[in-house]
Amino acid sequence: MRTSTGRLSAFLAVMVVAASVLHAQNKPAKPAKAPALTPLDYIEIRQLVARYGYAVDTGADDGKMYADLFALDGAFLDRTGKATKGRDDLSALARRFQRGPQSTFHFLVNHVIEPTADGARGKEYLLQLRLGEPNHDNDIFGGGHYEDRYENTSKGWRFKTHQFVPSELTVPPAPVENAAAGGRAPLATIPPALAPQTDTASISAPGLSALDYLQIQQLVYRYGWALDSGADNGFAYANLYTPDGIFTGTNQGPSGRSYQGREALAALARGGARGPLYVSHYATNVVIEPTRNGAVGHTYVAIFKLGEAGKPTAIEHGGRYDDVYEKTLEGWRFKHRTYYDSTSGAPVQPAPTTLAPLTALSAGNSSAARPGSLASGPALTAEDYIGIQDLVARYPFALDADIDEGASYANLFTPDAVFSQPRTEGREALAKLAVAQPHGPRYARHFIMNHVIDFAPGGATGSEYLVVVDIGTAGKPSSVFLAGHYDDTYMKTAEGWRFKTRTFTTARPGAK
């Protein structure tokens, strides 16, 4: 027979168990760990964002190209947070802003991607360039950045939300996180790792590997360097083409003009303003599409004219390239590159090629996949390219936003790293350098393009074009503050790729 004391003890035990269960039920669940993204995930999300400019600027397919970039319940959010969602409304939005099949306006750079528990998020800078508009000089219209949420749908990665945030130097401190509006959370202090993946991972037939996408992109980025410098008596430019390769400038005369063969292409690169420190052709929005015989591509280009004799640096003109690529024994090369000046309204000549529908990338095997850089030599993996690209894309966000007293900026460097101009050594000094620059949580000023990467013993080297733009506000026009290029050395650390050295050189026409 149980005593009253025994009954009380049993009752208390039951109450303790019940309380434990209730506490467990009410205890906040730990946030799900974000799965790592593969190189193909990064590439597909980058292709999604690169297509955005083409879709909104041209309004192609009656706006349906633009709408297809979003998930079924995806939304575009304007600077006020007002949402546009649904296929019909998104298509109508694209039609409202379209400028014609040959227009280029939205130049997207500095794209950073991070995994989340439900997909991925991203940020990218936007430079809005008014090019070829009737009765208006070419100029910088505005800029800022986008805040994105991405969803991996049955058709591939799409925008869940895509919000424009205009560049502002003075804004209220500590903006509130707003997941519905794309989020305002800072970037991760340490760039997230990539999921392991073999170098032969490729899309379905005909098959472009992750490295194929990255190496074609490297070819496109090397173009500006080779053309603007005129290096190797013009043959650095000519050697980006196949031996029978063709460049066509549709803006050169009423019917355009073509240059075929390396001698003619080298002569083209020797003409005009050139020099080892010259920068002019800034390329971005690189879209790559596989074909049965190789690949085709599309790229936006902004062509700057460096200021001399007290004149400011300005937008001379710009537009887009349509490319045909061929994979040779030396790597990917241009088979045919055609340039179209940006034009609002109907084009004077036949319009550029319309982009193919956006499709998902899937893992497979491709005998065409081959490690290596643009030329044969020691290899960097797809993970290496993406890790280094992510590092460089984070640089402007860390410098221009500086939400943590320079810590995010300094952590992009190794502990003993050196930044030149001004010479700054070590993370403590680098953090102070960032704090001393104009900054704000919505500020966008450093626009980086043409990022080329090469293997080097102990790591890698890289170079990028930089244009520092003061985005106009309150009726004040935008202006170019500075143009030039970075030269980098990268080291792969336990935390991922970091800057070992970074040197900035101001652009100068014809300088030695």
Side-chain angles (χ1 to χ4, degrees):
M1 182 175 177
R2 297 179 67 182
T3 64
S4 59
T5 302
R7 288 195 297 272
L8 178 61
S9 297
F11 174 76
L12 292 174
V14 170
M15 292 300 293
V16 168
V17 171
S20 299
V21 171
L22 183 62
H23 176 72
Q25 289 175 341
N26 293 331
K27 185 178 180 181
K30 291 183 178 180
K33 185 178 180 181
L37 298 171
T38 69
L40 279 176
D41 287 325
Y42 277 88
I43 289 167
E44 188 177 335
I45 293 171
R46 288 176 177 177
Q47 289 288 291
L48 170 72
V49 169
R51 286 171 173 266
Y52 185 87
Y54 298 87
V56 70
D57 294 342
T58 65
D61 193 20
D62 202 32
K64 294 182 179 66
M65 177 190 289
Y66 179 80
D68 188 51
L69 301 179
F70 292 81
L72 288 178
D73 59 348
F76 170 79
L77 299 105
D78 67 15
R79 65 182 67 201
T80 69
K82 179 183 177 182
T84 301
K85 60 172 56 179
R87 284 290 186 268
D88 291 343
D89 288 346
L90 287 167
S91 295
L93 182 68
R95 291 194 298 270
R96 181 161 30 122
F97 291 107
Q98 67 181 329
R99 288 169 167 78
Q102 199 168 313
S103 64
T104 55
F105 184 80
H106 289 72
F107 287 70
L108 300 163
V109 301
N110 306 345
H111 187 191
V112 176
I113 303 167
E114 295 180 345
T116 63
D118 59 351
R121 66 172 185 156
K123 298 172 185 266
E124 63 275 357
Y125 275 22
L126 166 68
L127 189 61
Q128 296 169 309
L129 301 182
R130 188 156 38 192
L131 301 170
E133 296 197 359
N135 305 316
H136 206 291
D137 293 338
N138 294 335
D139 67 357
I140 301 169
F141 178 79
H145 78 274
Y146 287 110
E147 302 263 358
D148 300 334
R149 297 279 179 177
Y150 310 113
E151 180 180 325
N152 199 357
T153 74
S154 60
K155 293 183 177 180
W157 286 96
R158 296 294 190 270
F159 291 112
K160 181 73 171 179
T161 60
H162 183 64
Q163 181 171 19
F164 173 60
V165 181
S167 178
E168 298 176 86
L169 184 55
T170 304
V171 295
V176 177
E177 171 89 8
N178 183 354
R184 290 287 188 343
L187 297 169
T189 303
I190 299 175
L194 278 72
Q197 183 169 292
T198 64
D199 288 336
T200 57
S202 68
I203 68 166
S204 55
L208 289 179
S209 71
L211 274 170
D212 285 326
Y213 275 94
L214 293 162
Q215 290 169 2
I216 291 172
Q217 187 184 62
Q218 287 290 293
L219 171 71
V220 170
Y221 290 157
R222 290 173 189 272
Y223 184 92
W225 290 92
L227 182 58
D228 294 339
S229 67
D232 193 20
N233 202 30
F235 282 95
Y237 172 78
N239 289 336
L240 300 178
Y241 290 80
T242 60
D244 60 346
I246 303 171
F247 171 78
T248 299
T250 65
N251 63 324
Q252 297 184 17
S255 59
R257 184 176 178 183
S258 292
Y259 305 80
Q260 184 171 19
R262 287 182 171 165
E263 290 292 340
L265 291 164
L268 173 65
R270 291 193 291 267
R274 301 285 183 263
L277 302 184
Y278 192 65
V279 299
S280 178
H281 291 71
Y282 286 73
T284 189
N285 297 15
V286 181
V287 173
I288 299 166
E289 300 169 342
T291 66
R292 290 292 169 186
N293 299 318
V296 297
H298 318 272
T299 300
Y300 274 25
V301 60
I303 302 173
F304 286 80
K305 185 176 182 179
L306 292 178
E308 297 182 81
K311 294 182 179 179
T313 294
I315 300 290
E316 185 173 32
H317 62 120
R320 63 179 277 191
Y321 295 110
D322 278 352
D323 300 328
V324 178
Y325 311 113
E326 182 178 304
K327 195 167 190 178
T328 73
L329 293 176
E330 285 124 4
W332 286 96
R333 296 294 187 269
F334 294 109
K335 179 73 172 177
H336 195 170
R337 163 157 272 207
T338 303
Y339 172 72
Y340 298 87
D341 244 346
S342 181
T343 301
S344 285
V348 177
Q349 299 182 18
T353 305
T354 301
L355 274 62
L358 179 60
T359 57
L361 309 187
S362 58
N365 291 311
S366 170
S367 61
R370 183 179 67 224
S373 59
L374 179 62
S376 59
L380 291 170
T381 66
E383 290 86 350
D384 290 330
Y385 278 111
I386 290 171
I388 294 169
Q389 289 170 339
D390 180 78
L391 171 72
V392 170
R394 288 169 181 270
Y395 185 92
F397 285 100
L399 185 59
D400 295 340
D402 185 21
I403 59 173
D404 53 8
E405 298 298 312
S408 293
Y409 177 77
N411 286 337
L412 298 177
F413 294 79
T414 61
D416 59 346
V418 176
F419 175 84
S420 295
Q421 289 209 12
R423 183 177 176 86
T424 310
E425 299 184 43
R427 284 179 170 168
E428 183 177 350
L430 287 164
K432 291 179 180 178
L433 177 66
V435 170
Q437 304 302 308
H439 59 272
R442 296 185 182 181
Y443 197 41
R445 197 175 191 232
H446 289 73
F447 295 82
I448 294 176
M449 293 173 244
N450 296 4
H451 183 192
V452 298
I453 302 169
D454 288 302
F455 172 85
T461 61
S463 300
E464 312 87 30
Y465 278 19
L466 169 71
V467 60
V468 180
V469 178
D470 289 322
I471 303 298
T473 57
K476 184 179 179 180
S478 300
S479 61
V480 175
F481 175 77
L482 186 67
H485 76 271
Y486 290 114
D487 289 315
D488 304 329
T489 59
Y490 312 112
M491 176 180 288
K492 195 170 189 178
T493 72
E495 295 178 327
W497 286 97
R498 294 294 185 270
F499 294 108
K500 178 70 173 176
T501 66
R502 164 158 272 211
T503 301
F504 175 72
T505 304
T506 303
R508 295 191 294 276
K512 299 298 183 183

